[in-house]
Amino acid sequence: MAIKPCWVPLSHDFLLVCTTIERLSGGLKFNIAADLMDKAKDAGELGFAGILVWMRFMATRQLIWNKNYNVKPREISKAQDRLTDLLQDIFSSNPQNQELLRMIMSTVGRGGEGDVGQRIRDEILVIQRKNECKGGMMEEWHQKLHNNTSPDDVIICQALIDYIKSDFDMSVYWKTLNENGITKERILSYDRAIHSEPNFRRDQRDGLLHDLGNYLRTLKDKMRSLEPHVVCDRLVGVGGLAILHAVHSGADLESAITNCMGYKSEGQGFMVGVQINPIPGLPSGFPELLRFVLKHVEDKNVEALVEGLLEARQELRPLTAIERGYEDLNNAGSEKIMYFITLVLENLALSSDDNEDLIYCLKEWKHALSMSNSKSDHWALYSKSVLDRTRLALASKAEWYQQVLQPSAEYLGSLLGVDQGALNIFTEEIIRAGSAAALSTLLNRLDPVLRQTAHLGSWQVISPVEAVGYVVVVDELLTVQHKTYNIPTILVAKRVKGEEEIPDGAVALLTPDMPDVLSHVSVRARNSKVCFATCFDPDILANLQAYEGKLLRLKPTSADIVYSELKEGELADSNSTNLTEGSPSPIKLVRKGFQWQICHIF
């Protein structure tokens, strides 16, 4: 059946704009995105995935934001406002794609009409005048802000604050910039280049810290999108569509809440004032819950914060998650970890379109928690079965992300010249930024406790792939991650952190460590069809290490690995059998299928 060619405008208009047009601005991109949304809606999942990939490339600064184009911040703000209004309407009428739409909204600043964007221009002038810093770097930055404000300005402002707080240590200024991908070359490449470094007097310190801190909020509120390192997901209201707009301001949790509750900022001199009205129709008691969250947002013990967010969610059904405070769970009992699992799992279920299996898991976790509290027999064994089912649900969700987003990212990224490193981890970063990663970490904390209590087996199989290869023992996977093995290799690594790459030529990775199911190495193992498992029995691990240099066959099941030594000649026989009986790798099948669709769609 022929596929409707609804993405011709994307390949023509957007790719033309990003690769050949001489004048380009962030506001123009937001308007193009808005123009394409109706066509994306007709295309469904694939269309929204394409928009999400493109918008995330912009949000992570992989694409040129501005080129030979002077654009006022209020024009960008108005374009954002138009796009987010449109996304709200589509969100309400497309329940089957709300997860993708929510992620698209997370890449767009709040926007706003007229004076909301104008404050970016006005406030920098007030800062310069009040603090007597009208020349040098501040004047160059002021010119950039007036002519082509971009997400980079959020980082520049933060770098200035860090520089001042460090007693004017210039290395701290550059450290903040470089850690966020802003180099000297990038700063000099702006249409309004910044040639100078900051140079402030000590008597300017307090005034600049105060004013730049307020300005950072303005910049975040209008320019910045959700980024992977943010520890709290935004409150996203399904029950009140207006809150979708308010909380996708891209600022931090505090700013999202103040946007829901409303705030007022008086004008000063020529600087316009801003009044953000509270969202109408909030449930009774909801503002009080938000004030409670604001009070506890910086608490080290996050339990009260999570409970407050979840109570707010029950009022309004938003997505909420918290991804910090794990260190406090190191010595926590199993009941407390299980309680946190139910909170984060409920959050994930409410933020997922296809959540049937997650809901079943949530019910079973609550039953397991009640069994544990009542000291029921076999509670640990029952909990372990629920834990394994939850892991399968997470792995399935990660695979869906890979199938829907990664082909689009690679296709569009290759056309737009996006860095290959960013493309390789595109989908993985999205997965790790959400509450699924928080849940996976919690499961990893609980698993050893359940294994010990229930006297379970010796293996946790993360990627059950049969493999044949020569055993190589290493202390750390990190030390060999960039090595290429010329023969099929079974790596036995004493230490695997989770962020490493799997070396070329490795067909299996065995370790006593336990990276979570959504870690980089776990995702890579499943996608590359590499056997990956954790061994909890030191005797079995020692036996495997004794086979170093020998040829082994690994036959994993869901909870065990059977291994046996082979003779040298059996490797060729094994490979021949695999070629005859095996099927092409799923990665290639998906890619071919996607490219077939692309050539019809584009």
Side-chain angles (χ1 to χ4, degrees), residues 69-88:
Y69 199 101
N70 293 339
V71 57
K72 300 178 180 65
R74 65 170 177 266
E75 294 172 354
I76 298 177
S77 187
K78 185 176 180 179
Q80 290 173 318
D81 193 53
R82 177 194 173 205
L83 177 57
T84 50
D85 279 343
L86 183 58
L87 285 168
Q88 288 179 90

Side-chain angles (χ1 to χ4, degrees), residues 332-456:
S334 56
E335 290 86 359
K336 185 171 184 179
I337 300 176
M338 291 167 70
Y339 173 65
F340 268 92
I341 286 173
T342 62
L343 297 182
V344 179
L345 180 55
E346 185 178 354
N347 163 67
L348 180 61
L350 285 172
S351 64
S352 300
D353 294 336
D354 184 9
N355 62 2
E356 183 178 1
D357 204 30
L358 294 173
I359 291 173
Y360 282 130
C361 290
L362 178 60
K363 292 178 179 178
E364 296 302 320
W365 272 116
K366 290 183 176 180
H367 182 57
L369 184 58
S370 67
M371 289 177 64
S372 175
N373 290 333
S374 62
K375 307 301 179 186
S376 174
D377 294 338
H378 309 301
W379 73 268
L381 189 61
Y382 182 85
S383 299
K384 182 62 171 71
S385 68
V386 181
L387 186 147
D388 289 341
R389 180 175 183 177
T390 308
R391 274 203 175 115
L392 289 174
L394 288 178
S396 176
K397 189 170 184 63
E399 288 173 7
W400 177 79
Y401 275 97
Q402 286 284 345
Q403 292 169 4
V404 172
L405 299 180
Q406 193 61 30
S408 294
E410 293 180 2
Y411 180 79
L412 287 177
S414 65
L415 293 176
L416 299 173
V418 175
D419 178 72
Q420 188 60 46
L423 294 181
N424 291 341
I425 61 172
F426 179 86
T427 303
E428 189 177 322
E429 280 195 339
I430 292 179
I431 295 171
R432 298 294 298 175
S435 52
L439 177 59
S440 184
T441 301
L442 288 171
L443 296 177
N444 249 34
R445 295 289 173 91
L446 184 61
D447 194 302
V449 178
L450 298 181
R451 283 184 171 277
Q452 184 176 9
T453 306
H455 307 290
L456 295 175

Side-chain angles (χ1 to χ4, degrees), residues 36-192:
L36 287 171
M37 286 309 301
D38 283 340
K39 297 179 177 63
K41 182 169 60 175
D42 293 338
E45 184 178 88
L46 181 63
F48 290 130
I51 291 286
L52 171 59
V53 168
W54 168 22
M55 298 299 292
R56 189 164 176 85
F57 282 158
M58 282 203 295
T60 55
R61 309 193 320 278
Q62 295 295 326
L63 301 179
I64 296 174
W65 179 266
N66 199 89
K67 182 171 66 174
N68 300 328
Y69 199 101
N70 293 339
V71 57
K72 300 178 180 65
R74 65 170 177 266
E75 294 172 354
I76 298 177
S77 187
K78 185 176 180 179
Q80 290 173 318
D81 193 53
R82 177 194 173 205
L83 177 57
T84 50
D85 279 343
L86 183 58
L87 285 168
Q88 288 179 90
D89 295 337
I90 296 174
F91 183 92
S92 63
S93 60
N94 288 267
Q96 72 279 13
N97 291 309
Q98 286 182 346
E99 188 169 355
L100 286 171
L101 286 163
R102 186 183 291 113
M103 288 190 286
I104 292 172
M105 293 193 78
S106 74
T107 67
V108 188
R110 178 175 189 243
E113 293 285 349
D115 291 344
V116 177
Q118 181 63 25
R119 280 190 69 99
I120 291 179
R121 291 170 65 106
D122 292 349
E123 284 187 29
I124 188 63
L125 290 171
V126 172
I127 291 171
Q128 287 183 280
R129 185 180 62 188
K130 283 179 60 179
N131 296 279
E132 299 178 351
C133 51
K134 295 182 179 180
M137 180 268 174
M138 289 296 286
E139 178 59 26
E140 291 170 351
W141 186 35
H142 154 233
Q143 291 300 324
K144 178 192 179 304
L145 288 162
H146 272 224
N147 291 282
N148 45 56
T149 308
S150 74
D152 280 12
D153 293 307
V154 176
I155 298 166
I156 293 172
C157 188
Q158 184 64 61
L160 288 172
I161 292 172
D162 293 345
Y163 159 71
I164 297 169
K165 286 183 176 179
S166 67
D167 197 25
F168 305 101
D169 185 343
M170 193 61 66
S171 65
V172 173
Y173 170 75
W174 286 109
K175 182 174 182 289
T176 299
L177 293 178
N178 293 335
E179 285 179 348
N180 289 278
I182 299 182
T183 62
K184 289 183 179 180
E185 291 76 18
R186 185 180 180 98
I187 280 184
L188 292 173
S189 71
Y190 298 146
D191 286 353
R192 295 294 189 275

